[in-house]
Amino acid sequence: MYYLAIDIGASSGRHILGRLNNGSMELEEIHRFPNGMVEKDGRRVWDVDELFTQIKAGMKKCKEAGKIPVSVGVDTWGVDFVLLDRQGQRMGDAVAYRDGRTGGMDLEVYKVIGEEELYQRTGIQKQIFNTIYQLMALQKQDRQQMEDAEALLMMPDYFHYLLSGRMATEYTNATTGQLVSPETKDWDYELIRRLGYPEKLFQKILPPGTVLGDLKKEVQEEVGFNCKVVLPATHDTASAVAAVPTDSDFPLYISSGTWSLMGTELAEADCSAASMQHNLTNEGGYDYRFRFLKNIMGLWMIQSVKKEIGGSLSFEQICGLAEKCTISSIVDCNDDRFLAPGNMTAEVQAACRESGQQVPEGIGETACVIYNSLARCYAETIRELGTITGQAYSGIHIVGGGSNADYLNRLTAGAAGVPVYAGPAEATAIGNLMVQMISEGDLSDLKSGRACVRQSFEIKEYRQRSKQL
């Protein structure tokens, strides 16, 4: 029995078929495609039509391979959304979170509700691109579109709607927008009314594992088969965290990719002033756990530098060059200056110059600064989490594509002073598949799913201390 995870990230997407064989999960990549923001009418937007074309293209390959999934689920990044009219058609473009339209929108929101009260109500870390600020930008810049719209769907919800014909909002992704109550696990409608956002836009929130229904007839005809559409944990980090191969109730993890999401799990959200001060967030997770974490800029910095000055070098080769460098400069990875600079390399150099440190030259030194800065940031975040939760963490699980960064893993183990357990790299797709398998009854619950991940995939251990930090 096959299940299909469609995992779409900021730079690429992939279709992963999964099945259980003697208690172990087996994966097969069936399709991969590029993704990225495009410039249109002065905005950074997602080409959602092309993304849906690729979703169907990968499903057709399942048919061609004779491997028909029993269900399919889509996960993506958070906060971004589309608006639909009363005919169910998309209105305008899907503006990307790195677009500059939200500049100053935090101040507009704070005219209605103070920053401290907002955190107490939602528990969500302030990020200027959160849905709450994107909607304020829309209200200020294109109020008519907001008033004319009948529905708002987060990105994966939109693709599930196109597949199944059913509008719904999945819980984990909805929480990233800073408009959901951690107590009710539903939209904070009082907050929404205070901000003047139309209540009609917000669809019913459903938990991961919900079956939306079958594929629409026209989709069935195009891809060549029918299957169920099942909500995974549609926020990619929520799926990745579900797949952390741990037997601990309070695992310490880094979901490492374009972003580094570092945190632990809580049974109840911590919306305290101390958590807010440390810029920690309480995003929704599978089984209504809370992903108590910090958003760290992550490998976006390395990805950008590679494009700018890396030429044909692979990430592995860049790691090798960085490891040979002795530069000790450190930058603040969480500084907004690294969110969407015109040139990441120049921005890192400028940050070092402004702080009186050695300015990196070339791909090796620049990558060395970034990797060491990330490791330092991880170590500081562990200390913050320990202070807030009162937990002592004996190791870090690193999952996602960044778990393959051998040099960074060793630096992290050295900076944090605890072992690092790296893998699986495809944690997001695995978590997506895991929820579908639980929904179908092939796995019993989250605990059995994580045990399955531990036995199915290689986990590398790092204990070496870094000589850099």
Side-chain angles (χ1 to χ4, degrees):
M1 186 181 295
Y2 290 97
Y3 300 85
L4 179 61
I6 302 176
D7 170 30
I8 307 177
S11 58
S12 68
R14 60 208 58 80
H15 290 56
I16 305 289
L17 279 169
R19 66 172 181 171
L20 291 179
N21 185 8
N22 294 323
S24 291
M25 191 183 298
E26 296 178 344
L27 306 181
E28 178 184 354
E29 182 178 298
I30 203 82
H31 183 55
R32 183 175 285 264
F33 54 94
N35 186 29
M37 294 169 286
V38 296
E39 295 285 341
K40 183 179 178 183
D41 299 328
R43 293 289 184 208
R44 292 185 175 188
V45 304
W46 302 106
D47 189 345
V48 291
D49 293 330
E50 173 61 18
L51 287 175
F52 190 57
T53 296
Q54 292 296 336
I55 285 173
K56 293 183 291 185
M59 295 175 72
K60 291 176 187 176
K61 289 185 178 180
C62 295
K63 171 67 173 179
E64 293 167 4
K67 298 175 179 178
I68 308 301
V70 67
S71 64
V72 60
V74 181
D75 65 75
T76 75
W77 60 96
V79 305
D80 289 344
F81 60 89
V82 298
L83 296 178
L84 305 180
D85 62 21
R86 62 183 56 190
Q87 283 76 44
Q89 300 299 308
R90 192 180 78 247
M91 301 173 64
D93 295 306
V95 179
Y97 62 89
R98 292 190 192 274
D99 184 76
R101 69 173 175 169
T102 53
M105 292 302 114
D106 52 343
L107 301 180
E108 295 297 327
V109 167
Y110 299 154
K111 290 177 182 177
V112 178
I113 180 171
E115 188 172 1
E116 291 185 6
E117 184 188 353
L118 181 60
Y119 187 85
Q120 290 169 1
R121 293 187 74 108
T122 66
I124 296 299
Q125 171 190 27
K126 177 188 175 182
Q127 299 277 11
I128 192 59
F129 47 69
N130 286 351
T131 312
I132 189 173
Y133 305 118
Q134 292 200 44
L135 284 171
M136 182 58 72
L138 196 60
Q139 187 181 73
K140 296 295 182 182
Q141 300 161 14
D142 196 350
R143 189 180 186 89
Q144 192 61 50
Q145 185 186 55
M146 180 181 280
E147 292 180 353
D148 291 343
E150 289 292 320
L152 176 153
L153 292 177
M154 307 298 283
M155 294 300 296
D157 300 324
Y158 179 56
F159 294 130
H160 287 137
Y161 164 65
L162 294 177
L163 288 170
S164 71
R166 182 178 175 186
M167 290 188 195
T169 297
E170 188 275 324
Y171 169 69
T172 67
N173 209 305
T175 64
T176 66
Q178 213 171 358
L179 287 165
V180 172
S181 166
E183 294 183 2
T184 66
K185 317 295 192 297
D186 198 0
W187 299 112
D188 186 334
Y189 285 105
E190 181 186 346
L191 172 60
I192 287 167
R193 286 191 290 270
R194 286 171 63 179
L195 291 166
Y197 303 158
E199 289 184 57
K200 64 179 180 178
L201 297 179
F202 300 90
Q203 307 304 298
K204 182 177 177 61
I205 291 180
L206 298 174
T210 301
V211 179
L212 292 182
D214 290 344
L215 295 175
K216 292 194 304 185
K217 292 290 186 186
E218 54 265 41
V219 176
Q220 292 181 36
E221 292 171 0
E222 186 170 353
V223 303
F225 64 88
N226 185 28
C227 69
K228 289 182 284 190
V229 179
V230 175
L231 294 179
T234 64
H235 187 243
D236 48 13
T237 307
S239 273
V241 170
V244 170
T246 180
D247 57 3
S248 169
D249 290 331
F250 304 101
L252 182 66
Y253 58 80
I254 303 174
S255 177
S256 180
T258 301
W259 288 90
S260 289
L261 296 309
M262 184 171 188
T264 187
E265 286 185 313
L266 299 178
E268 296 182 0
D270 183 342
C271 303
S272 66
S275 294
M276 177 182 172
Q277 182 181 358
H278 288 286
N279 213 18
L280 292 161
T281 199
N282 295 268
E283 295 177 351
Y286 181 75
D287 201 24
Y288 291 117
R289 293 166 175 245
F290 287 94
R291 295 176 284 126
F292 189 54
L293 58 82
K294 176 172 284 190
N295 287 272
I296 300 169
M297 201 67 69
L299 296 179
W300 156 253
M301 299 176 73
I302 286 289
Q303 292 165 358
S304 299
V305 168
K306 180 180 183 296
K307 287 180 182 179
E308 293 161 2
I309 61 173
S312 60
L313 293 173
S314 67
F315 287 113
E316 183 178 2
Q317 289 171 321
I318 291 173
C319 276
L321 291 173
E323 188 172 4
K324 296 175 183 177
C325 297
T326 58
I327 186 170
S328 59
S329 302
I330 296 291
V331 298
D332 178 3
C333 298
N334 292 322
D335 194 317
D336 285 346
R337 70 189 299 168
F338 301 121
L339 180 61
N343 185 287
M344 184 67 75
T345 307
E347 202 67 38
V348 171
Q349 291 172 330
C352 291
R353 186 179 301 111
E354 292 164 14
S355 58
Q357 300 180 90
Q358 180 182 344
V359 176
E361 298 293 339
I363 185 67
E365 287 192 351
T366 305
C368 184
V369 169
I370 293 172
Y371 282 129
N372 275 276
S373 298
L374 284 171
R376 175 71 63 84
C377 188
Y378 295 161
E380 291 172 351
T381 302
I382 292 173
R383 289 189 283 272
E384 290 176 342
L385 287 166
T387 298
I388 297 293
T389 65
Q391 296 289 326
Y393 300 106
S394 59
I396 309 169
H397 285 274
I398 301 182
V399 297
S403 66
N404 291 323
D406 181 80
Y407 177 51
L408 179 56
N409 293 339
R410 284 188 280 113
L411 286 174
T412 301
V418 296
V420 164
Y421 306 99
E426 290 288 359
T428 300
I430 292 167
N432 182 324
L433 293 166
M434 204 172 80
V435 171
Q436 294 185 56
M437 291 175 179
I438 294 171
S439 178
E440 186 67 18
D442 265 2
L443 292 170
S444 59
D445 54 20
L446 179 62
K447 185 175 181 179
S448 69
R450 283 174 164 169
C452 176
V453 175
R454 286 200 304 277
Q455 90 170 47
S456 302
F457 303 99
E458 179 186 9
I459 312 298
K460 294 183 178 179
E461 183 175 340
Y462 295 83
R463 291 181 179 270
Q464 179 181 341
R465 289 186 174 273
S466 167
K467 62 184 178 182
Q468 291 274 359
L469 295 177

